[in-house]
Every structure is written in C-alpha cells, then in structure tokens.
Amino acid sequence: MATVELSFTPLPAHVRTARLVATAVARRSGVDESLLDEVRLAVGEACSRAVEEHQLHCPAEPVRLALSDMADRFEVEVTDNCAPDSAKVTGVGQESKSTGAGVAAMEPGLGFAVIAGLADNVEISETAAGTSIRMSWPSAGVVR
Amino acid sequence: MDLKLDHHSKDGIEIVDVEGEIDVYTAPRLRELLIELVNSRYYQLVVNMEKVEFLDSTGLGVLVGGLKRVRAHDGSLDLVCTQERILKIFRITGLTKVFGIHDTVDEAIAARRSEK
C-alpha cells in the first residue's frame, strides 16, 4: 500500500497541489534536498500529461497519484484512467498524438523528455485502467 | 505562488518580466501575453525569468511558441535566466541551442544589438 495516495479531478489547478504533496512526502521519506526539485518537476509533468488525457477522454474520472517510501527508494506512480485505446503512450520520448487543443498544448514528448531526464528510474506501462508512469529516486528511509 | 506578468520597453526591445510558477495552470496567461505583444507588433522580445520559481514543459512549449511567432516576423525572443534549476530544464530538452539565454536584461539587449 502506498504511503500517501491522492486522487484529484483533472483540472490544471490541482497539478500544483499534487506537486506540493509529492515534494512533502519525498522530503519526509528521506529524499535528499538536492533531488526534491527533480521530484517536484517530474511529478508535475506526469500529472499534467494525465490531466490533459483525462480532459480529452474521460473528464469525469480522477487522476491518481501514489507515493510510496520503500526501504531505500521513494516511488511515485501517476495513473490516468483513460482506456488504452483512447490514449496510447508507447514509451519515454514517444507520444501517439498531439492535439494542440488540450490545456497543456505542449510539444509531443517534451514532458516525457523532462521526466526521463529527471527521474532516477522511469517505467511507463499500460493497464486495463489506463496509463501508468512510475518513477523513483533514492531515499534514506522514512523520517519518523 | 501564482504567476505575475509585466512588460516594458527598453532600448526598443520589449522586456517581459515573469515572476512565480509557469505550469499547466498558468502557462496559458503567458501565451496570451506573448500573442498580444506580437499582435501589437512587438517582435523583439526578452523574457526575464530571474524571478521564475518553477517551469515545466508546458511553459517551455509556450516559450517555443512565442519564438516561432516572432521569428515569423524576423524577430527574436531571448531569455534572461541564471537559476540552475530552471536552466537544467532547458538543457535536458536541448532548448539551450534554440534560445539565447543571458545573465542580465542588459546583456540580452546588447547581444541582440550586436546581431543587427
């Protein structure tokens, strides 16, 4: 079970909240201060992508964020609930479409390029529920 | 912190002062300002990012869009930024080769003048 789970309606305003929560939990999990900016940015990128996908395909469904402190890793998983046939993502640096009409309207793959450049470890997978981006950083363990 | 935007002319170049966070929520406001400036025939722009606390790929996309717009009028869009955490994002995405990035507004203006 994740240490902290968060689900939010797919609105750009909530991405900042997700960033703040992720940074706070990362700090508490013992992630080095020098890495917190990277966590904040990578989580923001993953959540922005998920919000855009939701707004295009499933605006009523929440975006889910799970933050877990393992023995020596801090793991973040951002999951969208858009069915794989409506939003395909095949890997880091690739994105199947660029609508230009979404709230982010970002260059295709730019967000993934940032995530790949920041996270220590990145895994992107499609499940029946949607696309999951899992990222992790080294941590010193939970600060109790 | 929210996004604060302001702009003023200096030596014939429009300086856009940006303060706060540029993300998926606030970036549309910056995009609107850049479009408004181009529509008002300001084609030489310097975006001062010294007070930017956060920048994500949505913000990068807006800056790239602004650059494309001014270049369509033979204009320029240079950046002022010395913050390592912001510069890192430009490096990761390779955009340091696309934008002129300077330490001060005066340096950006001088660099633009020397290219004319």
Side-chain angles (χ1 to χ4, degrees):
Chain A
M1 180 183 163
T3 307
V4 172
E5 288 184 336
L6 179 72
S7 64
F8 59 92
T9 52
L11 293 174
H14 299 322
V15 173
R16 181 186 297 174
T17 306
R19 286 200 308 263
L20 290 171
V21 171
T23 308
V25 178
R27 180 177 281 118
R28 186 171 168 75
S29 299
V31 174
D32 193 86
E33 285 288 326
S34 64
L35 295 176
L36 292 180
D37 268 343
E38 299 183 5
V39 173
R40 186 164 71 129
L41 181 54
V43 170
E45 294 291 350
C47 289
S48 296
R49 191 209 71 83
V51 164
E52 187 173 24
E53 289 299 323
H54 275 243
Q55 290 202 332
L56 288 169
H57 304 290
C58 49
E61 294 290 325
V63 174
R64 297 188 190 284
L65 173 69
L67 308 162
S68 307
D69 48 51
M70 315 298 198
D72 57 356
R73 306 286 300 173
F74 171 68
E75 188 179 278
V76 179
E77 185 173 16
V78 178
T79 309
D80 68 51
N81 291 307
C82 299
D85 61 346
S86 63
K88 297 278 186 198
V89 175
T90 52
V92 173
Q94 293 180 309
E95 194 166 306
S96 64
K97 60 185 172 40
S98 171
T99 63
V103 288
M106 59 185 183
E107 299 292 320
L110 200 53
F112 282 119
V114 173
I115 291 170
L118 292 175
D120 196 51
N121 194 9
V122 185
E123 207 175 288
I124 299 174
S125 57
E126 281 186 1
T127 65
T131 302
S132 160
I133 299 178
R134 188 176 293 172
M135 311 167 275
S136 69
W137 291 264
S139 74
V142 183
V143 179
R144 299 194 189 277
Chain B
M1 185 183 185
D2 206 348
L3 185 69
K4 287 184 185 172
L5 299 170
D6 201 357
H7 63 97
H8 64 278
S9 291
K10 187 173 184 183
D11 298 338
I13 291 177
E14 199 66 9
I15 313 298
V16 179
D17 292 310
V18 187
E19 183 177 351
E21 299 187 342
I22 310 174
D23 66 0
V24 67
Y25 181 53
T26 60
R29 285 177 49 211
L30 177 59
R31 180 169 54 227
E32 283 168 19
L33 175 60
L34 294 178
I35 291 172
E36 183 186 313
L37 290 173
V38 172
N39 289 344
S40 302
R41 299 176 183 272
Y42 292 108
Y43 303 136
Q44 306 292 334
L45 304 179
V46 169
V47 179
N48 182 1
M49 303 179 69
E50 279 300 84
K51 292 183 178 175
V52 170
E53 295 171 359
F54 182 85
L55 173 72
D56 71 4
S57 65
T58 317
L60 290 177
V62 167
L63 292 171
V64 170
L67 181 65
K68 284 167 70 176
R69 284 190 175 85
V70 292
R71 279 192 176 165
H73 299 276
D74 294 324
S76 64
L77 191 157
D78 292 305
L79 305 176
V80 173
C81 182
T82 58
Q83 297 184 73
E84 183 52 35
R85 64 179 176 180
I86 303 293
L87 290 171
K88 185 175 184 177
I89 305 163
F90 285 95
R91 276 199 293 272
I92 287 171
T93 53
L95 290 174
T96 46
K97 295 170 187 166
V98 175
F99 290 102
I101 302 178
H102 306 276
D103 289 351
T104 65
V105 169
D106 287 342
E107 191 181 302
I109 292 172
R112 187 50 50 196
R113 288 272 171 265
S114 67
E115 285 185 20
K116 276 193 171 181

